[in-house]
Amino acid sequence: MFPRWGLMPMNSVRPSAPQLQGMEPYDPKYLPADTLLSANENPSDVEEELRREIQREIRRVPLNRYPDPLANELRDMIAEANGLERDQILLGNGGDELLFNTALAWGGPGRKFLNLPPTFSVYAANARLTGTEVVDIPRRADYSIDEEAVLARVAQGGIDFLIVTSPNNPTGELADSVFIERLLEATDALVMVDEAYFEFSRHTVRPLLGKHKNLVILRTFSKAFSLAAVRLGYLLGDADVIREFIKVRQPYSVDAVSQAIARVVFRNRAKFEPAIQAIVDERARVLDGLSRIPGVTAYPSESNYIMFRIKDAGEVWNSLYERGVLVRDFSRAPYLEDCLRVTVGKREENDAFLAALKEVAIARL
Ligand code: PMP
């Protein structure tokens, strides 16, 4: 039936917000493969005994009730382990949600985010989504941070927040904690240190928290603690900073089942140590293996992945995938021409990767 005023019914939608025009949706390029080494996950799932404890804990969760919005039990556990108070911790639906909340709370139209590319591309995407201007200070040729350029830019003023990734994804190196301290002293911008992979580097800037109100640290359960499926990340920071994050968050973003799982895992976190150490040991072996493959330049890593350069990397990615090995292709990303990133997996997965790459590299000589 036509409306009374005689117009044709509409079948169209007006454009979405202007900042979305020309933007591509984020695509983690997660494809099925025998050997999954593209997403920096922990290759070991949570062990059977812990899974049973998780099941018992989940059985006690009232499914008809909303979850504790702030996950206070978990906050207390994380606070205690880090020598902090409950109000200095915030849980999020993966580190990803907390990164988005950073842009919501410290970005926005008329505000500036200082980015250190190449790094995790989600930061700049969140800035654009929130109408925040992105100021890039590219890394040097070896992917170390151009420290003096960053310090000079923050000294000019006008930067509202920056994110220092340590270890950096995808390039693998740590940020120098002396540099981070100089940065914290040089600016009142919010400085987030993204320590998503810190358990593999065993380096943290947490000791700086008491001294610098503008420092906030991001961590996740997705990597060292084998919970990528569960979606849980957390912040450590000053209580006043955390309060601003609470203003922008979705009240129930961390569901009660995830909270129950994370409580069991965090309580038992010491049990994850051997698997973390195995990844650290394998990392050295994979780096050594890569260095023996002709035409490959590998970058040392403090994390659970290794970036490497090889001519025609896009084609190499395809050839690896044809052999059942999925790695991450960065060859079309800015500053990362001919770069691929491989997650450090279990010994047999790493062997499958190294054998496939060797075959592909030798065929291309
Ligand atoms: N920071 C960095 C540097 C990452 O690589 C990732 C995962 N890709 C995250 C944060 C977010 O991880 P998650 O949302 O799984 O906690």
Side-chain angles (χ1 to χ4, degrees):
M1 225 175 68
F2 292 123
R4 247 187 311 135
W5 49 91
L7 292 172
M8 290 292 283
M10 281 207 274
N11 184 19
S12 62
V13 61
R14 62 177 55 198
S16 60
Q19 66 270 27
L20 305 193
Q21 306 313 310
M23 196 171 182
E24 289 291 324
Y26 183 76
D27 175 9
K29 308 218 168 44
Y30 210 48
L31 302 165
D34 289 341
T35 306
L36 291 170
L37 297 176
S38 73
N40 300 342
E41 296 148 329
N42 196 317
S44 310
D45 202 342
V46 175
E47 49 144 281
E48 215 29 66
E49 200 189 311
L50 269 190
R51 285 181 85 103
R52 278 197 293 275
E53 200 175 326
I54 285 171
Q55 273 158 8
R56 284 194 294 274
E57 190 94 6
I58 290 176
R59 233 176 273 138
R60 283 200 286 269
V61 173
L63 295 177
N64 61 323
R65 302 290 176 198
Y66 283 99
D68 171 357
L70 291 171
N72 279 325
E73 262 188 81
L74 258 181
R75 285 174 101 192
D76 288 345
M77 291 164 82
I78 295 169
E80 198 193 330
N82 286 282
L84 300 170
E85 300 296 325
R86 171 192 283 188
D87 58 4
Q88 295 182 274
I89 314 293
L90 185 65
L91 276 296
N93 192 281
D96 282 345
E97 184 192 29
L98 297 165
L99 288 172
F100 187 63
N101 290 350
T102 310
L104 274 180
W106 260 267
R111 295 176 65 101
K112 291 187 177 67
F113 162 58
L114 193 146
N115 195 30
L116 308 176
T119 188
F120 192 31
S121 63
V122 164
Y123 310 149
N126 287 339
R128 288 197 191 98
L129 275 177
T130 53
T132 312
E133 186 183 327
V134 180
V135 177
D136 278 334
I137 305 267
R139 288 163 184 264
R140 298 199 193 88
D142 65 354
Y143 298 119
S144 61
I145 295 170
D146 191 343
E147 297 179 356
E148 298 311 318
V150 173
L151 291 167
R153 182 60 192 85
V154 296
Q156 276 175 34
I159 300 296
D160 295 290
F161 71 105
L162 53 142
I163 304 179
V164 182
T165 322
S166 187
N168 189 41
N169 179 12
T171 59
E173 71 291 293
L174 281 171
D176 180 11
S177 51
V178 175
F179 161 69
I180 291 174
E181 187 149 28
R182 285 175 71 200
L183 185 58
L184 289 164
E185 280 163 7
T187 180
D188 64 354
L190 183 76
V191 177
M192 171 176 278
V193 178
D194 183 344
E195 293 186 352
Y197 301 95
F198 103 100
E199 292 90 350
F200 306 105
S201 71
R202 308 186 194 283
H203 271 270
T204 174
V205 292
R206 188 192 60 197
L208 300 179
L209 268 181
K211 288 193 270 179
H212 299 282
K213 198 177 170 86
N214 56 337
L215 171 63
V216 64
I217 297 173
L218 178 71
R219 303 259 182 88
T220 181
F221 282 80
S222 296
K223 313 295 178 181
F225 299 115
S226 301
L227 289 187
V230 170
R231 314 306 303 132
L232 264 178
Y234 59 96
L235 296 179
L236 312 177
D238 180 87
D240 292 335
V241 169
I242 296 295
R243 191 163 177 272
E244 298 310 296
F245 274 88
I246 294 175
K247 291 181 187 174
V248 299
R249 74 185 289 271
Q250 298 291 312
Y252 300 114
S253 65
V254 180
D255 66 86
V257 173
S258 298
Q259 291 183 30
I261 297 170
R263 283 197 301 271
V264 175
V265 165
F266 199 77
R267 219 185 283 133
N268 289 282
R269 62 192 178 283
K271 295 193 177 141
F272 290 77
E273 249 323 295
I276 294 170
Q277 188 56 47
I279 290 168
V280 170
D281 294 344
E282 276 295 289
R283 179 176 73 201
R285 206 177 64 84
V286 175
L287 187 67
D288 181 63
L290 281 167
S291 72
R292 292 166 197 277
I293 299 177
V296 172
T297 309
Y299 293 84
S301 169
E302 300 280 341
S303 198
N304 68 338
Y305 47 82
I306 297 175
M307 194 175 76
F308 60 98
R309 183 163 257 148
I310 184 165
K311 199 166 162 299
D312 301 323
E315 289 171 27
V316 171
W317 182 92
N318 267 321
S319 305
L320 288 174
Y321 190 59
E322 279 163 18
R323 287 163 175 76
V325 181
L326 183 69
V327 299
R328 187 70 193 261
D329 183 5
F330 284 97
S331 61
R332 281 174 295 276
Y335 313 100
L336 296 173
E337 197 187 336
D338 280 339
C339 286
L340 302 177
R341 185 196 67 198
V342 63
T343 303
V344 178
K346 290 185 177 166
R347 191 178 179 91
E348 56 277 18
E349 294 170 320
N350 302 330
D351 283 342
F353 158 71
L354 286 169
L357 183 64
K358 193 171 175 184
E359 197 179 287
V360 172
I362 287 171
R364 302 180 71 85
L365 282 181

